[in-house]
């Protein structure tokens, strides 16, 4: 039982690695996350601000991983262009976009006061 539990972590890491290799947008999100972390180290962000920043990073990257898995699943189900398949992909991508925009504004609210002072 413990072996199967530990193996599930290996599979999860494999999924993340595959997505990082194949998904351009995930690479962009990870690059932005690294910049945000670097900015958080440079500027004296509070513990609460760190929690918010890390939560935003985790949310956006997690949604991008879910979006990628949905796109792969839709492609597995149908190779033909189907309007409903396109809508499913668009909606999943929209979830990532909403989280990314909100994370951007949260980042501005956190970093602008530090930059200006």
């Amino acid at each position: 039982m413990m072996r199967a539990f530990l193996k599930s972590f290996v599979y999860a890491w494999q999924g993340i690695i595959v997505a990082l290799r194949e998904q351009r947008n995930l690479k962009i999100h990870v690059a932005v996350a690294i910049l945000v972390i670097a900015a958080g180290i440079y500027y004296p962000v509070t513990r609460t601000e760190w929690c918010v920043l890390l939560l935003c990073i985790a949310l956006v990257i997690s949604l991008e991983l879910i979006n990628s898995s949905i796109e792969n699943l839709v492609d597995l189900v149908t190779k033909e262009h189907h309007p409903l398949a396109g809508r499913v992909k668009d909606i999943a991508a929209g979830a990532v976009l909403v989280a990314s925009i909100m994370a951007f504004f949260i980042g501005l609210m956190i970093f602008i006061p530090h930059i200006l002072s």
Side-chain angles (χ1 to χ4, degrees), residues 65-76:
L65 288 167
I66 292 169
N67 179 50
S68 297
S69 66
I70 289 170
E71 287 180 354
N72 282 313
L73 181 60
V74 169
D75 291 344
L76 176 67

Side-chain angles (χ1 to χ4, degrees), residues 29-116:
H29 290 303
V30 169
V32 170
I34 291 168
L35 291 174
V36 168
I37 291 168
I41 292 168
Y42 181 78
Y43 294 105
V45 297
T46 66
R47 186 175 297 177
T48 302
E49 290 170 334
W50 268 117
C51 289
V52 172
L53 290 170
L54 294 175
L55 185 60
C56 286
I57 289 168
L59 177 66
V60 170
I61 289 175
S62 296
L63 282 172
E64 186 61 54
L65 288 167
I66 292 169
N67 179 50
S68 297
S69 66
I70 289 170
E71 287 180 354
N72 282 313
L73 181 60
V74 169
D75 291 344
L76 176 67
V77 171
T78 179
K79 296 289 183 198
E80 301 169 16
H81 177 72
H82 191 283
L84 188 56
R87 269 199 306 196
V88 168
K89 289 181 172 186
D90 292 346
I91 292 168
V96 180
L97 181 62
V98 168
S100 298
I101 290 169
M102 290 301 111
F104 174 76
F105 284 117
I106 290 168
L108 288 179
M109 291 189 307
I110 290 173
F111 286 115
I112 285 177
H114 292 292
I115 293 169
L116 294 177

